[in-house]
Amino acid sequence: MSDWALGENTFYPLNVGVRLYNPEGVMVNQDFLRITLPYVAANGGQTDVTITLPDKMSRGSSIQIVPVEEGIIWLDQQGVKPLSISF
């Protein structure tokens, strides 16, 4: 348990951020996509999210999917493990 309280007393939206990496593993676009999350109640709330990628992703490129509290922090900086997908 931590003292970090996501969204506590704030109005900053929680979204899903998608970062784009080139075949060498270098980030080329931190803000490749943003997906708005609907409100999810704490303590067990859940929702489904659909991420639509461009038709042509470069062979060898990859993305990382990370929750982000807009204007505040990417949650991997607080220990959330990004979902990585290679093409």
Side-chain angles (χ1 to χ4, degrees), residues 26-83:
V26 176
M27 185 183 349
V28 293
N29 189 342
Q30 177 167 316
D31 297 310
F32 183 58
L33 293 172
R34 279 291 202 286
I35 298 89
T36 302
L37 282 177
Y39 173 77
V40 177
N43 298 323
Q46 63 183 21
T47 190
D48 293 327
V49 175
T50 300
I51 299 174
T52 304
L53 298 172
D55 288 337
K56 293 186 178 184
M57 295 294 296
S58 299
R59 184 176 178 91
S61 66
S62 62
I63 58 172
Q64 280 189 343
I65 301 169
V66 184
V68 59
E69 187 173 14
E70 296 297 342
I72 303 296
I73 195 166
W74 287 75
L75 298 185
D76 59 337
Q77 296 173 355
Q78 291 293 323
V80 174
K81 185 176 179 181
L83 173 62

